[in-house]
Each structure stands twice: as structure tokens, then as C-alpha cells.
Amino acid sequence: MSQKQLQDLPSEVQQQLNQGAQQIFLAAYNSASEDGMSEEAAMNVAWNSVKQEYEPGEDGQWRPKPEDSHQHHKSVTSGGN
């Protein structure tokens, strides 16, 4: 199965998602398809991937989720010698 390109995405995806979210959707879709998933399953994987970083606005457009100030992205260092 050939990989989809951005212009191959359904119009619903192109209209609702910005370029960054479309890239996430496309990468997840192509990966799931390569793993042998059905088109429906690959679409679900793609939407779930987008939902990790984006959320729908009241106007139907998806926007990046706000940073969670309680989540820390610091590396943990050990105190060993």
C-alpha cells in the first residue's frame, strides 16, 4: 500500500486541522496502514494521535492544547559517583 500525502487526506481533516496537526495525522495514519491495519482502524489511530496534542475549538478548528503547568519535562539525574 502506498503512503498517503497531505493532499490525499480527507477534506474534513484538511479543513479542521492546521499543518502541524495534519503532519501528525498523516504520520500516524501511514504507520498504522503499514502495520496492516484497515483504513478505519488507521484513521482512528491517526485521530487519537492528534488528540494527544490538539483539541477542538468551538469553531470546529483544532488547536494545540495549552501547556500543562503541572507537568515537568526535566530530566532526572542520579546522585551516584
Side-chain angles (χ1 to χ4, degrees):
M1 179 175 205
S2 64
Q3 293 214 341
K4 286 190 180 259
Q5 304 294 318
L6 285 177
Q7 66 268 17
D8 300 328
L9 293 175
S11 60
E12 162 193 359
V13 173
Q14 292 183 32
Q15 292 170 2
Q16 293 179 6
L17 303 180
N18 67 25
Q19 188 83 14
Q22 287 182 34
Q23 291 286 351
I24 292 169
F25 187 99
L26 184 65
Y29 178 89
N30 284 335
S31 179
S33 293
E34 286 176 8
D35 287 346
M37 291 186 172
S38 69
E39 183 170 352
E40 182 180 350
M43 292 288 276
N44 286 334
V45 167
W47 275 115
N48 286 334
S49 295
V50 169
K51 289 175 184 176
Q52 290 180 14
E53 295 186 37
Y54 290 80
E55 60 189 8
E58 292 180 12
D59 61 358
Q61 297 296 308
W62 288 67
R63 293 177 176 76
K65 288 183 176 180
E67 285 284 326
D68 184 355
S69 61
H70 300 298
Q71 191 174 20
H72 300 285
H73 299 285
K74 296 179 182 177
S75 61
V76 177
T77 57
S78 65
N81 290 335

